[in-house]
Amino acid sequence: MGNAGPTGLKERIAAELAAVRERSLAYTDADDDMLVRQHSPLMSPLVWDLAHVGNYEELWVLREVGGIEPLRPEIDHLYDAFKYPRKDRPSLPLLGPAEARKYISGVRGRVLDVLDRVDLTDPDPLRSGGYVFGLVLQHEHQHDETMLATLQLSRRPGLVRDGELPPGRPAAEPEVHIPAGVFTMGTGGGTDTTPWAYDNERPAHRIYLPGYWIDRHPVTNAAYLEFVEDGGYRDPRWWLPQGWEWAERNGVEAPLFWTRDGDTWWRVRFGREEPVPPDEPVQHVSWYEADAYARWAGKRLPTEAEWEKACGGRTYPWGEADPGRLGRWANLGHRAARPAPAGAFPDGASPYGVEQLIGDVWEWTDSWFQPYPGYRCFPYEEYSKVFFGETYRVLRGGSWATHPSAVRTTFRNWDYPIRRQIFAGFRCARSED
Ligand SMILES: [Fe+2]
């Protein structure tokens, strides 16, 4: 992104802004009841997400960079993600669907005016390289993925488009060996190949890792079913005490959205029931389930450093090529409404030969979400800083629902270890004997 000249960069930003808005409007192209209803206490009503992305854009692009007076100061508090928990949002006096669409389109028109006149070579960190536009673009794509999770929880059919994916292929060698050595984790400082990276991905720093093995593909439904059928959910040996207690209390005995009918396992995917496809990466499992499976399999979850090293030190595992031209590299950006079968993207392999690191399913890692050494908060504490500690586990790599502009090998996501509505799966690792 940063490599295009100032004019080319502006054109590209404008095109990306148009594309993400088209996406947000497609996910909210439903009747008003669907948009204002709360489909799960975990999620906001869809109409909240819609107005929130516009409000965020107003705060950062119009006020911070454009110096423009607030358009609707009286609504700011409604869309402040830290003010009211998601479960309380339906009772707020939110903008209705028509009002929300009008508000965000009014903001967007002024954003394009700011883009037109802003100097992207200005050293100010919000202006330089178009950072503030990268911030709002990624933010909107992240909310689009959240909206897909809400649509999945709603169990209403006919609202989410599906698509074609390449077939899978079995791995001759199911594990890949990564030799001991130093690698560069994170980005920024020195040569910054990912100018729109968030503060939590910075700065780049050198880390030594002993040799280890990592799965070539994410764990598939077929592999995970063996754990289920082997009584994995009924055997406390495999579980951390908190995970065991969580599974017991909630009656968890399979991934979210799965049900058993005789010998067949079914899942609900965007309102339709279908047999669980054996060769797809498992998704909708919590960190506790991933951790228990790994222990059952005689392995463990990779640390995020191990996950990132397996990518081979590139912006994407297959190189620097722009995933906007996804083609044969990865299942990102809602090509289809599901992960691709294991082995579907041999050309997307990292230099070590590890596949499907980017796209398909977010991958739980063993790591807590913590700052890197030398971390500096930018541009605001509520993006990353307030989440650091031993509360959230890191997820890596993006899912089928993640847009290419909002993921890279250094990108860090995080969530509570009990969360399952996100499009998350995992792969396993093990130390050298
Ligand atoms: Fe947000």
Side-chain angles (χ1 to χ4, degrees):
M1 223 352 92
N3 298 335
T7 315
L9 181 56
K10 284 190 178 184
E11 281 170 6
R12 178 122 185 233
I13 289 169
E16 288 220 36
L17 283 169
V20 70
R21 184 53 48 85
E22 197 184 322
R23 187 181 184 199
S24 306
L25 293 175
Y27 294 165
T28 51
D29 183 13
D31 58 70
D32 284 9
D33 174 66
M34 180 71 197
L35 300 180
V36 301
R37 179 188 291 271
Q38 184 160 47
H39 300 283
S40 156
L42 294 177
M43 310 306 274
S44 312
L46 291 163
V47 75
W48 185 90
D49 291 280
L50 191 63
H52 166 77
V53 298
N55 188 244
Y56 188 87
E57 203 168 284
E58 192 196 337
L59 290 176
W60 287 101
V61 180
L62 299 192
R63 297 189 209 169
E64 283 294 321
V65 171
I68 295 169
E69 288 297 303
L71 303 182
R72 305 271 309 253
E74 77 285 3
I75 66 167
D76 280 350
H77 71 108
L78 300 172
Y79 298 103
D80 178 344
F82 286 82
K83 205 114 188 177
Y84 309 99
R86 284 177 173 180
K87 66 174 174 49
D88 295 343
R89 288 177 191 162
S91 57
L92 300 173
L94 301 176
L95 299 184
E99 259 188 309
R101 290 189 192 100
K102 184 164 168 246
Y103 167 63
I104 66 170
S105 115
V107 171
R108 177 55 64 84
R110 291 168 176 83
V111 164
L112 295 176
D113 294 341
V114 172
L115 176 62
D116 209 34
R117 62 180 162 84
V118 75
D119 175 7
L120 300 182
T121 62
D122 188 314
D124 166 62
L126 280 177
R127 291 173 173 78
S128 170
Y131 190 88
V132 74
F133 299 100
L135 187 72
V136 301
L137 272 167
Q138 292 182 83
H139 177 255
E140 186 161 347
H141 276 304
Q142 285 159 1
H143 276 276
D144 287 346
E145 181 161 353
T146 301
M147 288 198 252
L148 280 173
T150 305
L151 289 161
Q152 165 68 2
L153 284 163
S154 79
R155 294 174 187 256
R156 282 224 215 158
L159 293 172
V160 174
R161 155 186 78 70
D162 209 349
E164 295 297 313
L165 290 168
R169 54 177 234 307
E173 301 283 341
E175 291 179 300
V176 175
H177 182 253
I178 312 288
V182 172
F183 88 108
T184 301
M185 186 168 184
T187 186
T191 53
D192 194 345
T193 52
T194 48
W196 287 356
Y198 285 112
D199 59 357
N200 66 54
E201 298 167 67
R202 302 165 185 273
H205 55 290
R206 304 280 283 165
I207 286 194
Y208 171 85
L209 292 179
Y212 60 98
W213 294 84
I214 191 162
D215 291 350
R216 188 178 302 274
H217 300 145
V219 170
T220 62
N221 288 325
Y224 196 83
L225 255 176
E226 287 181 40
F227 168 69
V228 177
E229 305 285 0
D230 193 41
Y233 280 89
R234 299 189 302 276
D235 191 337
R237 271 184 304 167
W238 313 129
W239 297 76
L240 289 185
Q242 312 91 294
W244 179 253
E245 197 223 327
W246 164 81
E248 289 259 282
R249 186 163 13 98
N250 294 284
V252 174
E253 47 189 29
L256 188 59
F257 307 115
W258 284 28
T259 48
R260 187 206 294 267
D261 178 19
D263 285 341
T264 310
W265 282 92
W266 295 76
R267 69 172 177 191
V268 176
R269 185 168 62 89
F270 296 107
R272 298 200 186 284
E273 215 168 1
E274 61 190 14
V276 168
D279 55 352
E280 255 182 38
V282 66
Q283 64 173 351
H284 299 302
V285 287
S286 66
W287 182 91
Y288 286 126
E289 290 165 284
D291 175 70
Y293 172 94
R295 204 166 288 111
W296 168 83
K299 301 186 188 183
R300 57 178 174 77
L301 294 178
T303 64
E304 60 170 327
E306 288 172 334
W307 188 94
E308 190 170 322
K309 185 177 179 183
C311 294
R314 298 160 158 188
T315 305
Y316 308 101
W318 55 86
E320 303 308 315
D322 178 358
R325 296 179 294 113
L326 289 171
R328 53 188 215 264
W329 291 311
N331 178 24
L332 285 168
H334 189 175
R335 291 170 68 160
R338 62 187 190 279
F345 295 95
D347 293 340
S350 80
Y352 293 113
V354 186
E355 299 178 20
Q356 286 169 291
L357 287 156
I358 295 286
D360 299 304
V361 285
W362 286 101
E363 298 183 24
W364 287 111
T365 73
D366 193 52
S367 303
W368 297 112
F369 185 51
Q370 296 282 18
Y372 289 162
Y375 164 82
R376 279 174 48 207
C377 174
F378 177 77
Y380 64 110
E381 292 200 346
E382 290 78 11
Y383 187 77
S384 311
K385 197 178 170 195
V386 300
F387 298 101
F388 290 141
E390 296 197 349
T391 306
Y392 301 94
R393 297 285 183 173
V394 171
L395 299 120
R396 291 299 200 107
S399 76
W400 58 266
T402 308
H403 192 268
S405 303
V407 75
R408 49 209 159 255
T409 55
T410 58
F411 190 95
R412 306 170 77 198
N413 186 7
W414 63 93
D415 215 327
Y416 290 113
I418 62 169
R419 285 289 180 256
R420 312 205 288 167
Q421 85 283 2
I422 52 177
F423 305 109
F426 62 102
R427 76 180 71 216
C428 298
R430 60 187 172 90
S431 304
E432 280 179 355
D433 302 324

